[in-house]
Every structure is written in structure tokens, then in C-alpha cells.
């Protein structure tokens, strides 16, 4: 089967590109391996830039039940400090967000193939991109967008994660007192082997998403129950939050090998890489979704302007590099034992610093292409 544009992966970035191009009259096929959206490991924080882009795509997050997030709180050991966020933010489960994005893509006229995994993506002798699916069928197009998120396709892999991060997500129903106390805050908790974020999402529940080094997990016997106990021991503030909480999933969902700090250097003709396939920012910034939307918007604009994919990818890298490095530096700081040791004393000055960090790590601020590029 042949189309004008082929998009591999129907998460945030893939859906956003497909909507932008279908609205400009392009014939687009999007291939997504999951039959229906499901839980993904994600803190589910939507930054101000993400909200703007989602609005331009026609996604009304408030109507989907998104919870406004007005504060960010940092907790290390027994101390916590909070600062108002310098932008509007919200939180929404990925299941709800991905469902809305796929529906919007279909409404825009994208031909969506769900429940169909792509095994390989390669160039034909006639210069088309050919996606070969699990069932052996294939789709071809002169242009393809790679949007498989954390999953690498053979031949298009990213370097291995040297720090061996492991990430987990669990939903909890917090006790009424803790629900009221957490309220409209996104709370970052620090441990000796990583960090975690807890925040309310729709339906009165809380998302707890954590990222730890493999050796920290190993010290907990590679068991979730021991790991969550260890994190609470490291950070009594988390223990307080989870006191009396009811876990809502049988077990947490987990992923490994997250190449934080990765930015794709280049690509091949006709293949635009977006979302986590373009860049992976440390999770604590809560900016991955915003980057997925931003890279999608820029890639769609580049394609429509006939900018070759390798030129687009190189320009994107240069634009994102300084802020990505800053975010990485900040993440390393949080995971540095000396920094953590003095952090409780820094908490009094932390709110101001956090506001600055939040502003500086906005990789999407100097938008070369405005959110209107998604609009009809
Ligand atoms: C621990 C953690 C916490 C995070 N917290 C936040 C946060 O709070 N806020 C935030 O903004 N960002 C956060 N992020 C980052 C954010 O989740 C990602 O950056 C974002 O989802 C990237 O979007 P994407 O479209 O590239 O990938 P995804 O949204 O993951 O979509 C990729 C899609 O491709 C599909 N796919 C994969 N392989 C194939 C294949 N072979 N064939 C067909 N389809 C395929 C998948 O099923 C998936 O639907 C977090 C990340 C982690 C690891």
C-alpha cells in the first residue's frame, strides 16, 4: 500500500505530525502497534508549552478532566519547599491524552492502522520508505516520520543508556488528608538512587512516577515492594504522602534503558525523526510531551516547506542542544550525593531557583514555528 506520508508510532509526536499534515491536505497513514491506548510510564505533567500545542491541535484537556497544577514542590529527606509555577500547567493520564489524539487524527482524515507493529523501516530501490509490519504486509511512502517513542526500530537505534535507569509508574488513591495536602502541586521527591514525582490526575487519583538507577533497584532486591519501601525510607515526605494510600494497579508499569540527554545528530533523506526519537530530556523537567509536540510541529512545517530531513534534524539539534545540556546538568545535580546532602539547607532558597530552572529548561520557548502551525 502506498501513501504520501507514512508515520510510524501513534503516540504524542506521531499523532501531532499526522494531524498537522492531514489538515494541510496530505494523505497520511499512521501505524500504531497498540490496538487501543494504554498506560505508559510517564509523570503525566503537561507544561505550559504542551498545553498551547494541544489546544492548537484541538485537544481540550479540561474537558478530558485534566487537573490544573499551580505549584511545584521539592522534597528531600524530611524537608519540602514549594514554588508557584511560572506558567499554566496541568496533568492528564496518557491513556486519556493518547485516546483524544488518535481520535483527532482520525477526524482530520488520517488513515490510522492500529494494533499493527512495524518491524522494519527501510529504503526501497525506488527511494520510497517501506514499513514492513509484523504480519508481513508493507506500506510505502516517499516520506516517513519515525515516532516510536522509547522503542527503537532495527537500523534506527539510539545509543544505550550508560546509567541504566529504570522507571516505574503506579496510580494511588491517596488518603483524603493527603489528597487535600497534595492538592494542585507536582511534587518531586529525591532519593539516593534517583527521584520520583507525585501529582494528582483526573478522577481523584494520584500518579507516582519514579526513575532510579539499576543498582539502587538491585539493592532493593529487584522487587517493587522493597523499592517503594526504600524510597520512603530515603524520603520520609514520600512515606507521609503514601500513608494509607491504595495502589490502583496490580503492579507498576516499568521501562528500562532510557537514553536521557540523547539528541539525534542526523537522519536519512525523507525520514524525519520526532518526539523521543529526536531528543530525550531528563524526566524531572516534565517536558518530554512538550518536546514531542514541538518537534512534531517543526517537522511538519519542514516537510511542508520541502526542507530536507537531514537539514531539519541538524537544525533541530542545534536549537535544542543548550537547554538539553542544562536540563541534564540540573538532573545530575539532583542525583549528586553532595548536592542532596546540602539540599535540605538549600530548600529555603530553592523556590526561586526552581522558577529559574523551570524557565531555562523550556526548550520549546524560542519557537521557530508557532503553535498555529497545527491549526486548521
Ligand atoms: C519516567 C518518565 C516520566 C516522564 N514524565 C513526563 C511528564 O511528566 N511530562 C512530560 O511532558 N513528559 C514526561 N516524560 C516523557 C514523555 O513521556 C515522552 O517524552 C513522550 O511520551 C514522547 O512522545 P513520543 O510520541 O515520542 O512517544 P510515545 O508517546 O511513547 O509514543 C510512541 C508510540 O509508538 C508506538 N510504537 C512503538 N514502537 C512501534 C512499532 N514498532 N510499530 C508501531 N508503533 C510503535 C508506541 O506504541 C507508542 O504509542 C516522561 C518519561 C519518562 C520515562
Amino acid at each position: 500500500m502506498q501513501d504520501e506520508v507514512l508515520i510510524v508510532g501513534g503516540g504524542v509526536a506521531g499523532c501531532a505530525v499526522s494531524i498537522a499534515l492531514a489538515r494541510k491536505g496530505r494523505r497520511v497513514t499512521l501505524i500504531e502497534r497498540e490496538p487501543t491506548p494504554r498506560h505508559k510510564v510517564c509523570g503525566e505533567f503537561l507544561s505550559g508549552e504542551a498545553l498551547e500545542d494541544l489546544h492548537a491541535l484541538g485537544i481540550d484537556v479540561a474537558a478530558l478532566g485534566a487537573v490544573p497544577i499551580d505549584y511545584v514542590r521539592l522534597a528531600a529527606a524530611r524537608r519540602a519547599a514549594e514554588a508557584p509555577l511560572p506558567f499554566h500547567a496541568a496533568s492528564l493520564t496518557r491513556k486519556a491524552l493518547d485516546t483524544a489524539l488518535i481520535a483527532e487524527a482520525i477526524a482530520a482524515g488520517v488513515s490510522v492502522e492500529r494494533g499493527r507493529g512495524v518491524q522494519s523501516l527501510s529504503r526501497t530501490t525506488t527511494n520510497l520508505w517501506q514499513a514492513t509490519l509484523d504480519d508481513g504486509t508493507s506500506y510505502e511512502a516517499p516520506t516517513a516520520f519515525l515516532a516510536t517513542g522509547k522503542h527503537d526500530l532495527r537500523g534506527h537505534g539510539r545509543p544505550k543508556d550508560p546509567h541504566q535507569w529504570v522507571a516505574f509508574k503506579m496510580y494511588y488513591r491517596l488518603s483524603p488528608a493527603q489528597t487535600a495536602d497534595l492538592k494542585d502541586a507536582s511534587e518531586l521527591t529525591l532519593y539516593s538512587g534517583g527521584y520520583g514525582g507525585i501529582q494528582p490526575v483526573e478522577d481523584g487519583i494520584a500518579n507516582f512516577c519514579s526513575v532510579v538507577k539499576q543498582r539502587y533497584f538491585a539493592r532493593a532486591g529487584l522487587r517493587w515492594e522493597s523499592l517503594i519501601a526504600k524510597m520512603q525510607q530515603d524520603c520520609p515526605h514520600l512515606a507521609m504522602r503514601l500513608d494509607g494510600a491504595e495502589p490502583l494497579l496490580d503492579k507498576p508499569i516499568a521501562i528500562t534503558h532510557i537514553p536521557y540527554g540523547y539528541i539525534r545528530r542526523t537522519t536519512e533523506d525523507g525520514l524525519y525523526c520526532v518526539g523521543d526519537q529526536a531528543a530525550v530530556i531528563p524526566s524531572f523537567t516534565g517536558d518530554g510531551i512538550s518536546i514531542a509536540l514541538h518537534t512534531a510541529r517543526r517537522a511538519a512545517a519542514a516537510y511542508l516547506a520541502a526542507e530536507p530531513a537531514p537539514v531539519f534534524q541538524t537544525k533541530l539539534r542545534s536549537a535544542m542542544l543548550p537547554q538539553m545540556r542544562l536540563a541534564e546538568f540540573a538532573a545530575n545535580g539532583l542525583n549528586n550525593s553532595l548536592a542532596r546532602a546540602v539540599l535540605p539547607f538549600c530548600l529555603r532558597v530553592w523556590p526561586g531557583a526552581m522558577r529559574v530552572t523551570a524557565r531555562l529548561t523550556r526548550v520549546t520557548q524560542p519557537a521557530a514555528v508557532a503553535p498555529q502551525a497545527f491549526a486548521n
Side-chain angles (χ1 to χ4, degrees), residues 303-314:
Y303 165 75
L304 291 169
E307 181 169 77
V311 176
F312 155 77
Q313 214 74 50
T314 310

Side-chain angles (χ1 to χ4, degrees), residues 6 30 35 70 118 171 176 204 220 226 250 254 284 306 318 334:
L6 192 59
L30 180 148
D70 298 325
V118 171
Y171 289 116
S226 316
D250 290 343
F284 86 94
S318 310
L334 288 180

Side-chain angles (χ1 to χ4, degrees), residues 8-14 31-34 38 40-47 50 94 98 116-119 147-153 167-168 199 209-211 255 258 260 274-277 279-281 283 285-292:
V8 184
V12 177
I31 305 172
E32 163 56 45
R33 73 175 178 189
E34 298 296 339
R38 59 188 187 106
K40 282 180 176 157
V41 177
C42 184
E44 304 181 326
F45 173 84
L46 297 173
S47 67
R94 287 302 303 271
D98 290 7
R116 309 194 67 193
V118 171
Q119 266 198 352
T148 52
K150 56 189 171 295
H151 304 282
D152 286 337
L153 278 189
F168 299 89
Q199 60 176 0
C209 190
S210 54
V211 184
I255 54 164
I258 314 157
Y260 286 132
V274 291
D276 280 358
Q277 286 294 322
V280 185
I281 197 161
S283 300
T285 62
D287 245 356
I289 293 172
S290 160
I291 290 176

Side-chain angles (χ1 to χ4, degrees), residues 60-208:
D60 182 351
V61 296
L64 297 173
V67 178
I69 300 289
D70 298 325
Y71 291 89
V72 59
R73 204 171 285 143
L74 178 76
R78 295 182 182 280
R79 309 280 291 271
E82 73 173 27
L85 276 167
F87 44 79
H88 290 295
S91 61
L92 181 69
T93 56
R94 287 302 303 271
K95 214 170 167 178
L97 180 62
D98 290 7
T99 302
L101 282 165
I102 287 272
E104 196 61 42
I106 293 169
V110 177
S111 164
V112 178
E113 297 288 335
R114 279 190 277 186
R116 309 194 67 193
V118 171
Q119 266 198 352
S120 67
L121 182 65
S122 55
R123 261 326 228 187
T124 65
T125 48
T126 50
N127 267 351
L128 294 174
W129 281 99
Q130 182 179 62
T132 306
L133 276 54
D134 293 336
D135 60 10
T137 54
S138 62
Y139 284 79
E140 291 178 351
T143 304
F145 289 77
L146 183 61
T148 52
K150 56 189 171 295
H151 304 282
D152 286 337
L153 278 189
R154 210 179 326 128
H156 304 278
R158 298 163 301 172
K160 292 276 165 273
D161 151 35
H163 302 290
Q164 300 199 309
W165 292 105
V166 191
F168 299 89
K169 179 172 91 174
M170 176 56 107
Y171 289 116
Y172 287 98
R173 189 169 301 284
L174 302 184
S175 72
Q178 293 303 325
T179 301
D181 201 40
L182 180 62
K183 215 175 154 207
D184 52 357
S186 177
E187 211 164 71
L188 193 67
T189 49
L190 307 182
Y191 334 110
S192 57
Y195 52 86
I198 188 161
Q199 60 176 0
V201 286
E202 66 266 29
D203 300 329
I205 64 173
N207 167 328
F208 176 61

